[in-house]
Amino acid sequence: MATSASTSASVTERRGIPAASFVEDVQIYLSQTGLDVNSALAFLQERLQQYRVVEMKLLAQQRDLQAKIPDIEKCLDVVATLQAKKDTGEALIADFEVSEGIYSRARIEDTDSVCLWLGANVMLEYSREEATSLLQKNLENAKESLEVLVADLQFLRDQVTITQVTIARVYNWDVHQRRLQQAAATSPES
């Protein structure tokens, strides 16, 4: 879709999210797209709905990552605690969740390995060093993904705003044109 001006210096998309174009002149926009006012409004409303769907998906991903990061940090703390207790030779007394809301107490003797949930009901045993390395890598990846998601959400919000402004501009232009036509039609009769 061609318009008289575009946003963000000709950015066409960001990670699959199409960029909205700011419409300076509605008449030029309509003639370039070959749409009438109702078709243009329908197209813009549909695009706005698409943006809303993408926004919901991104917000869900953001919530998941925001929940995942503290879990990874907690796992890193546990591995560090195990390492610290190994150095002192003391056993670690810990409460762990057996099931939702059900906990059990365990005495953890000197151990050189830990088991990590990888997801999809898969657990693997790692040395403490490997577990620390893996968890740190996962934490870095999760934080980077969160940064990208936040940038995507900001881009998306900008596109929503531009689309809403464009809808308002097209609608207002149409109202203005109808008033001009109505005034032109009634003035010769007066």
Side-chain angles (χ1 to χ4, degrees), residues 5-18:
S6 63
T7 60
S8 304
S10 75
V11 171
T12 57
E13 71 171 64
R14 176 182 168 87
R15 291 181 9 107
I17 303 168

Side-chain angles (χ1 to χ4, degrees), residues 64-76 116-119 122 124 126 129-147:
D64 291 347
L65 279 174
Q66 286 173 331
K68 185 179 184 180
I69 289 172
D71 288 345
I72 296 171
E73 289 171 338
K74 190 170 24 170
C75 288
L76 274 168
L116 297 177
W117 284 107
L118 300 180
V122 174
L124 285 180
Y126 291 95
E129 294 78 21
E130 289 175 323
T132 300
S133 173
L134 177 68
L135 289 168
Q136 285 175 336
K137 184 178 131 222
N138 288 352
L139 182 62
E140 289 170 17
N141 289 342
K143 286 181 177 180
E144 287 172 10
S145 295
L146 186 59
E147 286 177 22

